[in-house]
Amino acid sequence: MKIFFPLVIVMILVLLVFAGIKANLYFLFGVVIPYAALAVFVLGFIYRVLKWASSPVPFHIPTTCGQEKTLPWIKQNKIENPSSALGVIIRMALEVFAFRSLFRNLKTELRDGKIVYGSEKWLWAAGLAFHWSFLIILVRHLRFFMENVPVVLKTIEGLDSFLQIGVPLFYMTDAVILAAVTYLFLRRLYLPQIKYISLAADYFPLFLIFGIVLSGVLMRYFFKVHIVGVKILAMGLVGFNPDPKILSEIGAIFYVHLFLLSILFAYFPFSKLMHLGGVFLSPTRNLSNNSREVRHINPWNYPVHVHTYEEYENDFRDKMKKAGIPVEKE
Amino acid sequence: MYNAGKIIFGLLIFLALVTFPFYNNIGKVSAKPEPKIDTPEIQKLPENERKCVEPKDFMRGEHMQMLNDWRDSVVREDNGIYMSSQGKQFNMSLQNTCMKCHSNKKEFCDKCHNYMAVAPYCWTCHIQPKENKS
């Protein structure tokens, strides 16, 4: 159920596009939905971040794994246990660009009645492969949105198609992302513990991304669409001046690609995908470990309201006297 | 809101990245590519035969695939004759077939390719038709 429900949803979404194309709803699928999805994405993202920012983080709670700054003759691990802003920035950069904490992933096994820990790098490798190829693919798509494509983008594209296999040139990231998404899915299916904790909300983005990648791959290498038309549409969209005439010339599979992407964008702020913003706001990562150096003051109850004995006696003096309890002041 | 300075700074970076395609295009007019087919070779053809190897819609999407198939067919299978869906025969050759009709590479192939930012690497070996530099 947790697997089939999201799978069926994605299939319905794809069928919806074909039905929409049949019914000539090009403007809806090509213009209205993409704009709406982008708006939901941007506003939803900002809303989520502001909501997070409204929770105070009173104490520094980094989860560290290195020697803390201490006596001068004990060597501090400046990155794993940072005490300065620079250390935090390096630690965050390693986390964001290289998934440092996932690199430490361990596998626990019972062997001959003993618990043994082994290194487990597959998730890290697949996660890294997935995210980096996703980023490269995203950046590559910028060529559809600019008149004069800068050399950087052409270089990225050139490196990605460096093997010069086939025409149109085969992109390595296309294969990498397909393999990585497949691995990330099979992992949830085959490892019993992971399967147990996986929810529909874990499978849905996987299926959605798989659908987006697959439709893109099919469109580039197999069922060709009017690519110049795609760029004319994209340029029209970013110029707020889309050309309605081009919409019907492009080809259905492009709309599948675009619609699934729109769904992903609209779904993004309300899902676990928000870890894009969340990683920067993780208090266990983005704080320095200086709890012993700096006094951290709890923002929500400072100055601490204390009720002294004198005040207490003032409140209850009459009652205390009635009950025969001695008081300090008459 | 706590840490307002850092949060707003981060959100501004987010906005700058997401809206980049929009503000990058402000004030720029995007011209659609219009490949020209007024070459002498095509002009020589009678009006109703000014057609490509295959129908235009097919060529627009599939011409790169077709070139790849032609190349494989010639180089690997030693078969140099293409039978079009219209029943016409063509010599499978980039330089001698495509570029004979489309001898205006700069005004034809490059118009689309520059717009799409693709640079087919074919011309590092194959010879481009001689054209007046314009």
Side-chain angles (χ1 to χ4, degrees):
Chain A
M1 193 56 206
K2 289 189 300 188
I3 303 174
F4 284 103
F5 179 62
L7 186 64
V8 169
I9 296 268
V10 172
M11 284 172 170
I12 290 176
L13 290 174
V14 173
L15 292 180
L16 218 59
V17 181
F18 285 111
I21 298 299
K22 266 265 167 349
N24 253 325
L25 297 172
Y26 288 106
F27 196 76
L28 179 67
F29 281 95
V31 179
V32 179
I33 291 177
Y35 274 143
L38 188 67
V40 171
F41 171 70
V42 172
L43 297 178
F45 194 101
I46 294 176
Y47 168 76
R48 283 295 296 266
V49 169
L50 291 181
K51 207 170 147 208
W52 279 327
S54 67
S55 321
V57 181
F59 305 115
H60 277 207
I61 51 165
T63 46
T64 60
C65 42
Q67 175 59 52
E68 186 180 355
K69 186 174 182 197
T70 174
L71 301 167
W73 43 270
I74 296 179
K75 193 164 171 264
Q76 180 201 2
N77 190 332
K78 289 200 170 118
I79 291 167
E80 303 295 3
N81 199 333
S83 55
S84 66
L86 181 68
V88 171
I89 289 169
I90 296 174
R91 188 170 189 241
M92 280 302 289
L94 277 174
E95 185 64 37
V96 171
F97 293 117
F99 302 174
R100 181 80 178 94
S101 57
L102 196 55
F103 189 71
R104 274 193 212 92
N105 192 24
L106 288 181
K107 191 163 72 187
T108 318
E109 251 176 48
L110 210 56
R111 259 192 219 163
D112 307 329
K114 268 192 234 154
I115 286 190
V116 290
Y117 299 96
S119 111
E120 168 60 39
K121 300 275 186 268
W122 283 107
L123 177 60
W124 170 79
L128 209 59
F130 168 73
H131 283 84
W132 274 107
S133 33
F134 202 121
L135 179 67
I136 294 173
I137 290 171
L138 198 72
V139 168
R140 257 189 7 225
H141 275 74
L142 278 177
R143 80 183 161 110
F144 287 100
F145 298 97
M146 334 170 93
E147 187 74 11
N148 297 310
V149 178
V151 187
V152 212
L153 291 189
K154 288 186 180 160
T155 312
I156 293 177
E157 184 159 5
L159 289 174
D160 200 357
S161 59
F162 157 82
L163 296 179
Q164 296 196 336
I165 298 174
V167 173
L169 291 179
F170 161 76
Y171 289 132
M172 285 180 269
T173 45
D174 288 359
V176 173
I177 198 169
L178 273 180
V181 173
T182 308
Y183 172 82
L184 294 175
F185 169 64
L186 290 182
R187 185 182 79 99
R188 290 193 185 276
L189 217 54
Y190 278 115
L191 302 182
Q193 302 95 319
I194 308 285
K195 187 172 183 186
Y196 182 71
I197 60 166
S198 295
L199 303 172
D202 294 312
Y203 291 110
F204 182 60
L206 274 177
F207 293 146
L208 208 51
I209 290 171
F210 194 82
I212 293 169
V213 174
L214 196 66
S215 55
V217 164
L218 288 179
M219 174 160 60
R220 179 172 172 84
Y221 305 102
F222 301 102
F223 311 116
K224 302 282 194 299
V225 295
H226 179 14
I227 309 175
V228 174
V230 172
K231 178 148 182 181
I232 293 173
L233 174 65
M235 293 301 287
L237 285 175
V238 294
F240 295 107
N241 181 22
D243 178 0
K245 278 192 290 290
I246 201 74
L247 288 164
S248 59
E249 291 180 25
I250 293 177
I253 187 148
F254 167 73
Y255 288 100
V256 173
H257 192 62
L258 186 65
F259 184 60
L260 292 184
L261 184 79
S262 303
I263 298 290
L264 185 76
F265 263 58
Y267 174 70
F268 200 100
F270 313 103
S271 67
K272 66 174 204 166
L273 300 172
M274 262 313 282
H275 67 274
L276 168 64
V279 66
F280 296 98
L281 295 185
S282 310
T284 56
R285 299 277 132 202
N286 66 10
L287 294 171
S288 56
N289 190 16
N290 58 2
S291 321
R292 300 189 194 177
E293 257 175 277
V294 182
R295 176 150 185 237
H296 296 284
I297 287 160
N298 190 343
W300 68 67
N301 61 359
Y302 191 82
V304 180
H305 179 72
V306 284
H307 200 215
T308 59
Y309 179 72
E310 199 180 347
E311 284 168 319
Y312 172 85
E313 213 182 81
N314 289 344
D315 287 349
F316 298 108
R317 185 164 294 110
D318 301 339
K319 296 188 176 82
M320 289 167 82
K321 276 198 207 152
K322 256 190 224 153
I325 298 170
V327 286
E328 284 182 357
K329 239 178 15 197
E330 278 308 318
Chain B
M1 189 167 38
Y2 297 90
N3 295 314
K6 285 178 194 156
I7 296 283
I8 288 171
F9 180 68
L11 283 177
L12 284 179
I13 293 182
F14 167 74
L15 277 177
L17 288 176
V18 173
T19 55
F20 168 75
F22 292 97
Y23 60 77
N24 181 52
N25 275 306
I26 289 177
K28 288 182 198 160
V29 231
S30 142
K32 291 174 203 168
E34 268 149 17
K36 289 211 171 63
I37 48 162
D38 55 352
T39 60
E41 194 67 29
I42 293 176
Q43 298 288 315
K44 261 197 282 178
L45 295 167
E47 194 90 39
N48 57 347
E49 281 188 30
R50 286 184 191 159
K51 295 204 185 83
C52 200
V53 178
E54 294 284 350
K56 186 178 170 185
D57 284 345
F58 179 86
M59 290 309 290
R60 203 165 53 191
E62 301 270 357
H63 66 276
M64 45 306 222
Q65 192 67 50
M66 175 186 255
L67 281 169
N68 202 31
D69 294 346
W70 280 20
R71 175 168 61 175
D72 286 355
S73 174
V74 171
V75 177
R76 302 204 180 138
E77 285 147 32
D78 195 23
N79 170 20
I81 301 297
Y82 179 78
M83 196 61 160
S84 81
S85 58
Q86 265 74 36
K88 271 198 186 170
Q89 286 195 348
F90 287 92
N91 177 18
M92 293 195 202
S93 170
L94 175 59
Q95 279 160 245
N96 300 330
T97 305
C98 305
M99 304 324 283
K100 197 161 130 233
C101 279
H102 298 296
S103 56
N104 54 344
K105 176 171 172 292
K106 286 201 181 63
E107 291 299 313
F108 186 75
C109 313
D110 291 355
K111 271 272 159 10
C112 287
H113 295 164
N114 290 345
Y115 183 67
M116 294 307 302
V118 277
Y121 64 94
C122 321
W123 313 108
T124 50
C125 299
H126 291 272
I127 296 168
Q128 308 187 21
K130 285 193 192 69
E131 286 176 76
N132 303 332
K133 287 219 172 77
S134 56

